[in-house]
Amino acid sequence: MDVAGQKTAADNNFARRKVLALLAGAPTLTLVARFGLVSDATPAGVALPGLPDLTDYVDLGDLLTTLALPTSERLALQVTSAGRVVLEVPRAEVGQGISTAMAMIVADELDARLSDVDTPLSDARPDLLFNQTTGGSNSVRSLYGPVRALAAQARARLVTAAAQKWGVKADTLTTKDSKVFAPDGRTAGYGSLSAAAAKVVAPAVSAKPKPESAQKIVGKPTTRLDARDIVTGKAQYALDVKVPGALPAVVARPPTIGGTIVDVDDTAARKMPGVVAVARIPSGVAVVAETFGQAMAATSALQVTWGKGGVDDLSDEDVKRQLRAATPPLTPLTGLTPHIDAEFDFAFVPHAAMETDSAVADVRPDRAEIWSSLKNPIIAGKTIADMLRLPHDKVTVHVTRGGGSFGRRLFFDGALEAAQISKATGKPIRLMWTRADDIRHGRLRAATHHKLRVAHLAGAVVSYEHRVASVETDFRVGAGEALSATFANLAPALFGQAVFALTEKVPYNFGLITELLTEIPLKMHTGSWRSVYSATVRTAEEIMVDELAHAFGKDPVSLRRSMLKSARARAVLDTVAKRGKWGRAMPSGCAQGVGLHEEYKSCAAYLVEIDARDPKQPRVTKAVIAADVGRPINPRGLQAQLLGGLTDGISTILQAGVHLDKGLPLEASYAQFHYARQRHTPSTVDITIMPANGEPGGAGELGVPAAAAAVANAYARATGTKTRSFPINFDVDFTPLPR
């Protein structure tokens, strides 16, 4: 994979935000940051082409960053006497590489060796409020400034301590490789200076972050620091945590989503080998045993009478009918106005992260400890404390590494259940959701129906309408800190509308644009899925752009170029068109397709080539990707994010979804949920990261809509069809497991 050269931009990122750092009393150097807003004037001479979107002014990432500002002063960085630089990261590490990115920022600003920086995940800290939520492609955006400020302050205090120790002027000293250097050759490691630096009241040298043009680590492709630990099994996930006496547990779950327990006969199960306890919890019947195998076997021996769930009478077609009925009508047009109409359906999709929802809980009469991968540990701890009837400060929540998330770990179902089982049995518990549990009873990306119209006149688009009907996405638990979760509980429909408005953006000059969301509340488990609304909304829009190009008799790339509002978006599109040799001759049944997406102050374009000579077994054979994320911290990590977006796009367009049948997804494993395997992904992938400019934008969700659209458009061009329901090959090679 190729990474384009990184071009130095003006150091203007602190024009928007001012950062001050304060010293906290400690025996070694420990700093906390104070983060304050300053005015953000629009640069002179910059004009927004066409009609601006709300997201041109403020998007969800801006809101999350602003909400985090008041407590950014409470972030802490420590330089230990052993020379370790420790930053507790108040975000979840679920494979996206935030731990490495934060270490790179610290090392660069502090002039420390990257190998000297540790970035453990912070336990739940209620004092951080909104500043411990992972989501909205916001982690780097919100932490970049405060972490730089902390490291810059630490460097200034270490230099001052060395100057005092040696009796020299501080401005004659330099820093490199975790050491301070004097002109006469003397050196002092950061660890040896830490205690003295902690006593420095006012640094004798500038404590401002260095110019971004002087950054040596940020922007350099870097292998993630935990890569070897992950591939060798050393990395610790929730179920790797060693808690004395913790026993394996699994839960027997109802045959429909949200089903209830009427009666349980556990006589046979209790007699099974290794079974220690059986307990009823709200979501099912838990079996605790000496091994997971024994616990799973015993769940089959339970005799449970189940009550109805919330959607027992619904199957896929029923949901589709409800969504179509809920979709608002398009604006009536005169018969003289040329227009293109289309409607699309997207299926439910589970997160299906490699690590299922797992947690360890040790509940005592007066306190509790929880270990789990959590994107919202603060609200998780408060909810668990309330359930246990314990004071909030008596519940400690440890955030562990997660084996994937894609939005799943915004919810803490497993942690809550583990606490319930531990309380009921009086024993420490290691709870594991099975793969069937995770797919059938975990969270789902909501099924959606889309109605679109492009009205055009004389070769120009005069209006664009997009009506979205969706099963309601549940933000009520996974919304973050308590206040936002409460708001979502009080007005879930308004919360969804707010997220929709702050994320959806049409990047084209399409005249009068209206995008409306209608959600239908069904009693089922939904949740934010990578790229939330954009994964379907923008995919449908990009398909329409291709169909508009066909109606105009224009090339799809040329049409996009002529209608894009943003020069940045045009640049990534031009990059993939050039590097991917757009328009090259392809065999019959094979074709190229493009997709573009702008979100969270970033943009990406994907060009894919597909072999659909067998329409039931299509294969994406090549992908060319370009992304502009403002200032990339770790281009190698960004490449991985974009590659993951490609795999998500291939999966959800061609083959991956779940069938809802009388209240239960029929898929129960990767054998039925057809997420792309290695054989379905291209052997050739070319990724270009555009030169650095300005502040970091969001990247975690950026690639999914563009990738999905490119795959859909390539398939349509290869087969000469207009697909309206996704995934395309939903029923190919599908054999459901028993309920």
Side-chain angles (χ1 to χ4, degrees):
M1 298 179 185
D2 297 327
V3 179
Q6 303 297 312
K7 182 173 64 178
T8 301
D11 299 303
N12 59 358
N13 63 306
F14 277 81
R16 296 186 66 230
R17 302 184 181 97
K18 182 187 293 181
V19 184
L20 301 174
L22 302 177
L23 184 66
T28 55
L29 183 59
T30 304
L31 296 173
V32 297
R34 186 176 298 281
F35 198 42
L37 283 175
V38 295
S39 64
D40 183 10
T42 301
V46 176
L48 293 172
L51 295 174
D53 289 278
L54 172 63
T55 56
D56 289 322
Y57 299 107
V58 59
D59 62 19
L60 182 61
D62 293 320
L63 177 61
L64 293 173
T65 298
T66 301
L67 291 172
L69 292 182
T71 60
S72 288
E73 64 185 61
R74 297 171 186 170
L75 303 180
L77 181 148
Q78 181 181 23
V79 180
T80 73
S81 58
R84 304 303 301 173
V85 180
V86 183
L87 173 73
E88 284 196 0
V89 179
R91 298 293 186 272
E93 173 60 82
V94 290
Q96 82 278 37
I98 186 65
S99 298
T100 298
M102 290 300 106
M104 293 173 68
I105 295 169
V106 169
D108 212 335
E109 203 63 56
L110 190 57
D111 288 332
R113 291 186 298 255
L114 188 56
S115 59
D116 289 339
V117 181
D118 298 320
T119 49
L121 304 181
S122 175
D123 289 347
R125 288 181 52 191
D127 62 304
L128 290 179
L129 300 178
F130 292 95
N131 208 0
Q132 203 172 4
T133 293
T134 307
S137 300
N138 182 250
S139 294
V140 168
R141 288 181 70 183
S142 59
L143 292 175
Y144 179 67
V147 170
R148 288 187 71 204
L150 281 173
Q153 271 283 349
R155 185 184 71 246
R157 294 177 188 278
L158 290 163
V159 168
T160 301
Q164 293 172 348
K165 177 181 178 179
W166 294 330
V168 299
K169 292 184 177 181
D171 60 7
T172 65
L173 306 181
T174 59
T175 53
K176 181 182 178 182
D177 294 336
S178 305
K179 295 179 181 178
V180 179
F181 293 81
D184 60 9
R186 283 179 291 179
T187 66
Y190 286 168
S192 68
L193 297 169
S194 181
K199 300 175 183 178
V200 172
V201 176
V205 293
S206 172
K208 293 181 180 180
K210 64 177 66 173
E212 286 170 320
S213 58
Q215 290 176 332
K216 299 178 181 179
I217 299 175
V218 167
K220 179 181 178 181
T222 302
T223 298
R224 50 184 303 158
L225 302 180
D226 53 3
R228 181 176 294 276
D229 288 349
I230 292 172
V231 299
T232 60
K234 184 179 178 181
Q236 296 287 296
Y237 297 85
L239 292 181
D240 296 317
V241 175
K242 305 300 182 184
V243 176
L247 293 171
V250 295
V251 176
R253 302 183 188 275
T256 58
I257 294 173
T260 57
I261 302 170
V262 176
D263 187 55
V264 180
D265 181 354
D266 59 12
T267 305
R270 288 182 180 275
K271 295 178 181 179
M272 297 281 287
V275 172
V276 175
V278 178
R280 289 175 58 160
I281 60 174
S283 55
V285 183
V287 176
V288 180
E290 294 174 1
T291 69
F292 280 112
Q294 290 170 335
M296 293 171 67
T299 61
S300 301
L302 292 168
Q303 300 295 315
V304 185
T305 302
W306 298 101
K308 292 188 66 174
V311 290
D312 286 18
D313 299 325
L314 296 182
S315 298
D316 283 334
E317 289 304 316
D318 303 305
V319 175
K320 286 182 180 179
R321 281 193 293 270
Q322 289 194 30
L323 291 173
R324 289 168 182 161
T327 309
L330 298 168
T331 303
L333 296 174
T334 67
L336 299 178
T337 306
H339 61 277
I340 302 171
D341 290 358
E343 297 189 39
F344 301 92
D345 291 296
F346 292 85
F348 291 107
V349 183
H351 298 88
M354 187 63 69
E355 179 195 20
T356 60
D357 204 5
S358 303
V360 177
D362 186 1
V363 176
R364 307 295 177 90
D366 60 342
R367 67 188 189 280
E369 279 191 272
I370 308 294
W371 294 262
S372 189
S373 176
L374 301 165
K375 287 188 169 185
N376 284 298
I378 298 173
I379 187 64
K382 291 179 178 179
T383 303
I384 291 169
D386 291 342
M387 182 275 298
L388 297 174
R389 298 184 180 180
L390 289 173
H392 291 172
D393 62 357
K394 296 299 181 181
V395 175
T396 302
V397 177
H398 306 284
V399 180
T400 62
R401 174 195 305 274
S405 173
F406 320 112
R408 176 66 179 95
R409 301 186 200 284
L410 286 165
F411 292 82
F412 47 88
D413 307 305
L416 181 62
E417 287 181 344
Q420 291 167 340
I421 299 167
S422 182
K423 179 182 179 180
T425 62
K427 302 178 184 301
I429 292 299
R430 299 170 61 226
L431 173 68
M432 179 182 70
W433 281 43
T434 66
R435 181 61 60 192
D437 292 344
D438 202 53
I439 293 178
R440 288 180 165 177
H441 296 278
R443 302 284 164 169
L444 298 170
R445 185 180 82 179
T448 58
H449 179 73
H450 302 255
K451 186 182 293 184
L452 299 89
R453 170 174 290 165
V454 179
H456 55 91
L457 193 63
V461 174
V462 295
S463 67
Y464 172 77
E465 298 179 74
H466 192 160
R467 307 290 185 258
V468 184
S470 174
V471 174
E472 184 180 277
T473 297
D474 187 356
F475 296 103
R476 284 169 285 196
V477 177
E481 195 273 332
L483 180 59
S484 58
T486 300
F487 174 74
N489 274 317
L490 294 174
L494 293 179
F495 199 88
Q497 292 290 344
V499 174
F500 185 84
L502 290 169
T503 55
E504 298 318 298
K505 174 181 181 178
V506 177
Y508 303 102
N509 287 306
F510 273 2
L512 180 62
I513 297 171
T514 58
E515 293 186 295
L516 301 176
L517 169 69
T518 301
E519 294 194 303
I520 60 172
L522 297 181
K523 294 181 179 180
M524 58 189 304
H525 307 138
T526 60
S528 299
W529 195 95
R530 193 178 188 187
S531 208
V532 197
Y533 296 111
S534 297
T536 59
V537 171
R538 286 289 300 124
T539 299
E541 290 173 354
E542 286 292 301
I543 295 172
M544 284 295 283
V545 176
D546 258 38
E547 296 188 8
L548 180 66
H550 183 266
F552 283 3
K554 292 188 176 181
D555 174 80
V557 169
S558 297
L559 180 74
R560 283 177 170 82
R561 289 198 82 262
S562 68
M563 292 192 169
L564 279 169
K565 298 177 183 178
S566 162
R568 293 174 67 200
R570 197 173 296 112
V572 295
L573 180 64
D574 288 346
T575 298
V576 298
K578 180 179 179 180
R579 295 181 70 89
K581 298 180 180 178
W582 172 258
R584 76 182 186 89
M586 301 282 289
S588 177
C590 301
Q592 296 176 313
V594 293
L596 182 136
H597 182 55
E598 281 191 77
E599 194 168 22
Y600 300 131
K601 305 297 188 288
S602 299
C603 55
Y606 281 63
L607 182 155
V608 304
E609 295 184 356
I610 197 168
D611 182 344
R613 283 174 285 193
D614 179 356
K616 298 298 182 184
Q617 297 291 335
R619 168 76 185 272
V620 174
T621 56
K622 181 180 179 179
V624 180
I625 306 166
D628 184 337
V629 298
R631 183 166 302 279
I633 305 303
N634 182 6
R636 187 164 296 156
L638 180 55
Q639 286 180 325
Q641 293 273 35
L642 296 168
L643 189 59
L646 173 64
T647 310
D648 284 341
I650 292 170
S651 301
T652 55
I653 289 299
L654 296 181
Q655 60 202 50
V658 295
H659 297 76
L660 184 68
D661 180 65
K662 297 179 180 178
L664 186 74
L666 295 179
E667 285 76 4
S669 73
Y670 286 131
Q672 295 86 38
F673 173 58
H674 293 158
Y675 190 81
R677 309 296 205 275
Q678 190 167 359
R679 68 178 184 273
H680 300 125
T681 56
S683 56
T684 302
V685 180
D686 179 285
I687 301 177
T688 299
I689 308 303
M690 304 300 281
N693 59 89
E695 295 185 0
E701 299 165 282
L702 178 66
V704 178
V711 174
N713 287 332
Y715 183 90
R717 299 181 80 215
T719 61
T721 61
K722 293 182 178 180
T723 304
R724 294 295 186 250
S725 184
F726 300 97
I728 294 168
N729 292 318
F730 202 9
D731 298 316
V732 174
D733 297 330
F734 173 67
T735 304
L737 287 181
R739 299 175 73 88

